[in-house]
Amino acid sequence: MDNKDFIFLMEKLNISNDYLDTLASQNGFIKRNRSIKAHNFLSAICIESVNGIASCNDIAAHMDAESDSNVSRQAVWKKINSSLELYLKRILALIITNKINNSLVENTTNDYKRILVQDSTIIRLPVRLFSDFSGVANAQSKVCNARIQCVYDFISKQFVYFSIDSYSKNDLSVAPLLDVQQGDLVLRDRGYLMADEIQRHLDHKAHCIFRYRFNMTLCDPITEKPIDLFSELKKVKSLDKKFMLNNKSKTIVRILAQPVSKEIADKRRRKTKAESKNTPSEKLLESLSWSIYITTIMDRNIDYEYIYKAYSLRWRIEIIFKCWKSNMAFNQIHNVSKIQLNILLLARFITIIIITQIVFNPCRIIVKNVFDRNLSLLKFTKYVLNDNINLISIIEEINKNIDGNLNNIKSLARFCSYDKRIRKNFQECFEQAFS
């Protein structure tokens, strides 16, 4: 991807060069009209950020090659400050909330307005940032990490939230920060699970599905006395029952459980033993023979199979994280300051969104409709970030709305589609779960 591609993609979001420059001036990032133009700086830092470490020299060289700006690395260094960080945050917020006018829209489900998945991933940082981001330390060494939170909407195929947090800020502490709206279905793992968070979904007329957390207190809805879930499971081959949570609101939830194969149960036990600091209890090991879900969905037409298929879509976020780390240099963090780190990651988030929203999503639909293939996010991202790919030509073919020459999109179908296999890809699993 080059400067022209980046600017063109921003224009598809109705964000012009003039607006970018005006926003930079209002923000204090660009104070005087000199050789550095805000839109050129933005494209340079975003493109270089996904190619590697994005040093001041790399950014200056990119601007020199792609524009008429004769910029030194010293001039770039002076611009790496809190004003640039705030500028990038405003750009990121702007493109997240941008509604793209695209005729290629899928009507996948009428059951929910949004299907949100939230998860976090860990990235390694320079040790100099340990006081800001924490990590793991012992008498011999320190390892500094940051935790990136991400929320993705399966229906719009868009990111709705990012955050860069310290390693010590765990998933449970950020769970209440999610903007839950009426009509949402939220899929999160047990790291985000707490009783009041489930009640918050009900208060907003939204639904959620979690994996059950071992030793979570459940009560009888009538007597309000605690119930031993695993004593209940011993009596049945499967479970679909309402329980009350032990919180102030006395939240009523639905528990669905099915036994897993011995092979899967043994694999879970081996993993649990390997990761546990202490010897796992017999009751915990016994619980691993079951897949147990906790949900606010009370419709009896929604059975275990539906809940299982819906929740299984969470693995998509893991593919997204793998895509970031494999193709967008998220594992490449040089010896930067806290402000430099935030700038680098914000630039990567901006690039991720404009590529997925403007290019990947419409291309995926055309490739499916015209060539009967399913685009792989991993393959696609690696392919389009190649400097030899002309994204403008791809966008022009998208705008033709499958009429006319589709040579570039045909190449995407050829080189970026899933291999034909028995195992279903994400889109097939999504359609099966919510058809």
Side-chain angles (χ1 to χ4, degrees):
M1 183 167 65
D2 59 21
N3 185 64
K4 291 181 180 178
D5 287 334
F6 184 88
I7 296 300
F8 186 81
L9 292 175
M10 292 297 285
E11 288 175 348
K12 292 297 295 180
L13 287 165
N14 299 316
I15 304 174
S16 66
N17 288 349
D18 289 342
Y19 183 78
L20 291 171
D21 293 343
T22 300
L23 192 62
S25 178
Q26 294 173 349
N27 188 65
F29 170 53
I30 300 294
K31 296 180 180 179
R32 287 171 287 186
N33 188 17
R34 290 189 174 180
S35 57
I36 294 182
K37 301 292 185 182
H39 65 273
N40 287 332
F41 195 101
L42 176 66
S43 63
I45 194 170
C46 287
I47 294 169
E48 290 300 322
S49 72
V50 296
N51 289 335
I53 60 176
S55 67
C56 292
N57 191 68
D58 292 336
I59 296 169
H62 184 104
M63 294 178 67
D64 184 72
E66 295 282 351
S67 67
D68 296 331
S69 303
N70 184 13
V71 181
S72 67
R73 61 186 179 187
Q74 290 82 4
V76 171
W77 179 79
K78 291 179 181 179
K79 291 296 181 184
I80 306 295
N81 53 37
S82 57
S83 294
L84 173 58
E85 182 183 2
L86 181 58
Y87 176 61
L88 293 179
K89 285 181 178 179
R90 293 190 66 179
I91 297 297
L92 179 62
L94 187 66
I95 62 176
I96 283 178
T97 57
N98 193 290
K99 303 299 182 183
I100 303 169
N101 183 16
N102 196 320
S103 59
L104 296 172
V105 177
E106 295 173 297
N107 184 18
T108 52
T109 175
N110 293 319
D111 296 330
Y112 305 102
K113 291 182 179 179
R114 301 187 302 176
I115 300 177
L116 303 180
V117 56
Q118 180 178 16
D119 209 342
S120 64
T121 187
I122 306 300
I123 59 172
R124 181 74 63 87
L125 301 181
V127 176
R128 68 180 287 193
L129 296 174
F130 192 89
S131 61
D132 293 307
F133 289 94
S134 71
V136 179
N138 55 36
Q140 286 76 37
S141 63
K142 288 183 179 180
V143 175
C144 181
N145 296 318
R147 192 184 301 272
I148 296 178
Q149 291 284 343
C150 172
V151 181
Y152 184 76
D153 178 13
F154 285 148
I155 293 181
S156 68
K157 307 293 190 299
Q158 295 183 12
F159 297 97
V160 298
Y161 177 79
F162 294 101
S163 70
I164 308 165
D165 302 315
S166 70
Y167 180 72
S168 59
K169 191 173 183 179
N170 61 24
D171 294 340
L172 196 63
S173 64
V174 302
L177 303 180
L178 178 65
D179 178 26
V180 178
Q181 300 176 11
Q182 182 175 342
D184 285 350
L185 172 63
V186 180
L187 311 174
R188 294 194 284 190
D189 69 19
R190 56 176 65 91
Y192 298 88
L193 176 57
M194 54 184 173
D196 288 343
E197 185 63 9
I198 294 177
Q199 182 61 45
R200 188 167 73 93
H201 284 74
L202 292 172
D203 292 341
H204 286 82
K205 298 182 180 179
H207 285 301
C208 58
I209 305 173
F210 290 90
R211 284 289 292 272
Y212 173 79
R213 188 178 67 242
F214 180 72
N215 271 350
M216 185 176 186
T217 302
L218 298 174
C219 302
D220 186 290
I222 299 175
T223 65
E224 300 186 5
K225 293 181 178 180
I227 292 177
D228 185 346
L229 177 62
F230 296 99
S231 295
E232 294 276 322
L233 291 175
K234 288 179 180 179
K235 303 174 186 176
V236 294
K237 294 182 178 180
S238 62
L239 183 71
D240 183 351
K241 189 174 180 179
K242 292 181 182 180
F243 292 87
M244 188 181 75
L245 299 181
N246 187 30
N247 61 337
K248 186 177 180 180
S249 301
K250 298 182 179 180
T251 305
I252 302 298
V253 296
R254 184 180 175 198
I255 300 288
L256 300 98
Q258 293 273 12
V260 299
S261 67
K262 184 178 184 302
E263 180 183 1
I264 293 176
D266 289 343
K267 184 178 179 180
R268 289 178 178 179
R269 292 185 185 106
R270 287 193 297 269
K271 182 179 179 182
T272 300
K273 290 177 181 178
E275 294 177 351
S276 298
K277 295 180 181 179
N278 303 314
T279 303
S281 67
E282 288 298 321
K283 196 170 185 179
L284 171 58
L285 296 176
E286 182 185 351
S287 72
L288 300 177
S289 298
W290 293 81
S291 283
I292 308 171
Y293 298 96
I294 180 169
T295 184
T296 57
I297 302 172
M298 298 300 173
D299 184 352
R300 288 292 172 175
N301 293 319
I302 304 296
D303 58 6
Y304 174 89
E305 191 68 18
Y306 178 99
I307 297 296
Y308 169 78
K309 288 179 179 179
Y311 188 84
S312 296
L313 297 173
R314 276 196 66 259
W315 65 263
R316 181 61 170 180
I317 199 75
E318 300 298 338
I319 297 298
I320 289 171
F321 291 151
K322 183 178 179 180
C323 177
W324 292 1
K325 294 179 178 181
S326 300
N327 300 322
M328 293 186 163
F330 266 77
N331 278 337
Q332 298 182 36
I333 306 290
H334 54 307
N335 194 24
V336 294
S337 66
K338 182 179 180 180
I339 287 181
Q340 290 171 326
L341 173 71
N342 288 338
I343 288 170
L344 181 64
L345 294 180
L346 287 167
R348 288 174 180 171
F349 292 151
I350 290 170
T351 311
I352 286 168
I353 293 177
I354 63 173
I355 288 177
T356 53
Q357 290 186 193
I358 305 300
V359 190
F360 176 74
N361 289 339
C363 279
R364 180 184 57 78
I365 298 170
I366 292 177
V367 167
K368 179 62 177 178
N369 292 340
V370 178
F371 303 105
D372 194 26
R373 303 293 299 274
N374 291 293
L375 278 187
S376 161
L377 178 63
L378 280 170
K379 292 181 180 180
F380 173 87
T381 305
K382 183 177 181 180
Y383 187 82
V384 300
L385 289 178
N386 189 311
D387 290 337
N388 297 321
I389 304 303
N390 188 337
L391 288 181
I392 295 178
S393 297
I394 294 176
I395 296 298
E396 288 175 346
E397 291 180 7
I398 291 172
N399 291 339
K400 293 175 184 177
N401 200 4
I402 76 173
D403 293 328
N405 192 331
L406 295 176
N407 286 338
N408 289 285
I409 296 182
K410 185 177 181 180
S411 295
L412 291 177
R414 181 182 178 188
F415 297 110
C416 304
S417 294
Y418 288 104
D419 298 329
K420 292 186 177 180
R421 57 191 179 184
I422 297 176
R423 180 166 60 91
K424 291 182 172 62
N425 58 58
F426 168 76
Q427 191 58 35
E428 291 170 334
C429 291
F430 181 83
E431 291 169 359
Q432 185 181 50
F434 293 103
S435 59

